[in-house]
Amino acid sequence: METVRHSEHTLKTALISENPALVSQYKKLDAGERRLLNEAFKPDHDLFEPITLHSPSDWIISHPEAPQDFEQFFSDPYRKAPSPEKHSIYIQCIGSLGNSRIISDEYIKWLKGYCEAFFYGLTVKLLEPVPVSATRCSFRVNENTQNLQIHAGHILKFLKKKKPADAFCIVGITMIDLYPRDSWNFVFGQASLTDGAGQVDR
């Protein structure tokens, strides 16, 4: 096993920018947000814990990517930002998320709360759950796992049509396996940054 661990200096360099536009945002942080920012880089803090790589098939090893610091992310011309007109995250449940409606409702309640905390300042709204049949997506039975799988690209098209006018993005949630094309075994999720739509499975 291999462990990826970043030093306090590396984290600060990557996340704290001298870009004037970002510096002005830092000045607007309240006392609690500044404390979190300062403490987050300390070695004993759990916000940036070491990442353990268990095998060569782990994503970081098998899909090497160039690093990106926060300033690069902030300056990316393709980055979308919320606006007063588009300020809501919509969650669309597809199919059942548990053995009962109560379990599904509890799961969605937890997910909504997490999104509201993580994407602080944005409104998180729940769309009425729909059965898989409503998406009119293709499906298959995986020949290795014998699990039912639904086509991720077709789900994306469905979500784009369902996206409300005030949505910053719409996210589909399902407990059913996804596959992006016939040659792939499965995929955990798929998204379109330009369309502000995506979906994930369990």
Side-chain angles (χ1 to χ4, degrees), residues 113-177:
Y114 182 91
C115 288
E116 288 171 336
F118 194 90
F119 300 101
Y120 182 73
L122 294 185
T123 302
V124 180
K125 300 179 180 180
L126 303 177
L127 295 172
E128 192 65 26
V130 297
V132 176
S133 59
T135 68
R136 304 180 69 86
C137 67
S138 297
F139 63 91
R140 72 179 186 187
V141 175
N142 185 291
E143 61 181 17
N144 297 314
T145 65
Q146 301 303 308
N147 288 334
L148 176 68
Q149 296 182 307
I150 54 180
H151 195 287
H154 296 172
I155 298 293
L156 266 185
K157 290 180 181 179
F158 168 78
L159 292 172
K160 284 188 280 187
K161 291 178 182 178
K162 288 269 293 183
K163 185 180 176 184
D166 68 333
F168 172 61
C169 67
I170 180 170
V171 182
I173 306 296
T174 183
M175 295 295 282
I176 303 172
D177 281 352

Side-chain angles (χ1 to χ4, degrees), residues 39-172:
E39 293 179 356
F41 307 116
K42 294 180 180 179
D44 58 346
H45 199 281
D46 60 3
L47 189 59
F48 297 106
E49 292 182 332
I51 301 172
T52 301
L53 307 178
H54 296 276
S55 75
S57 63
D58 276 334
W59 185 271
I60 293 177
I61 296 176
S62 58
H63 297 80
E65 299 173 285
Q68 180 191 51
D69 61 27
F70 188 75
E71 183 172 345
Q72 290 173 319
F73 164 76
F74 182 80
S75 304
D76 189 332
Y78 297 104
R79 181 180 68 89
K80 287 187 174 291
S83 67
E85 297 77 27
K86 296 185 180 295
H87 208 254
S88 298
I89 297 173
Y90 282 85
I91 297 176
Q92 174 67 74
C93 294
I94 301 170
S96 175
L97 300 185
N99 296 329
S100 68
R101 183 63 185 262
I102 294 176
I103 294 176
S104 292
D105 288 348
E106 282 297 310
Y107 178 77
I108 290 302
K109 180 181 177 181
W110 174 86
L111 181 61
K112 181 176 183 290
Y114 182 91
C115 288
E116 288 171 336
F118 194 90
F119 300 101
Y120 182 73
L122 294 185
T123 302
V124 180
K125 300 179 180 180
L126 303 177
L127 295 172
E128 192 65 26
V130 297
V132 176
S133 59
T135 68
R136 304 180 69 86
C137 67
S138 297
F139 63 91
R140 72 179 186 187
V141 175
N142 185 291
E143 61 181 17
N144 297 314
T145 65
Q146 301 303 308
N147 288 334
L148 176 68
Q149 296 182 307
I150 54 180
H151 195 287
H154 296 172
I155 298 293
L156 266 185
K157 290 180 181 179
F158 168 78
L159 292 172
K160 284 188 280 187
K161 291 178 182 178
K162 288 269 293 183
K163 185 180 176 184
D166 68 333
F168 172 61
C169 67
I170 180 170
V171 182

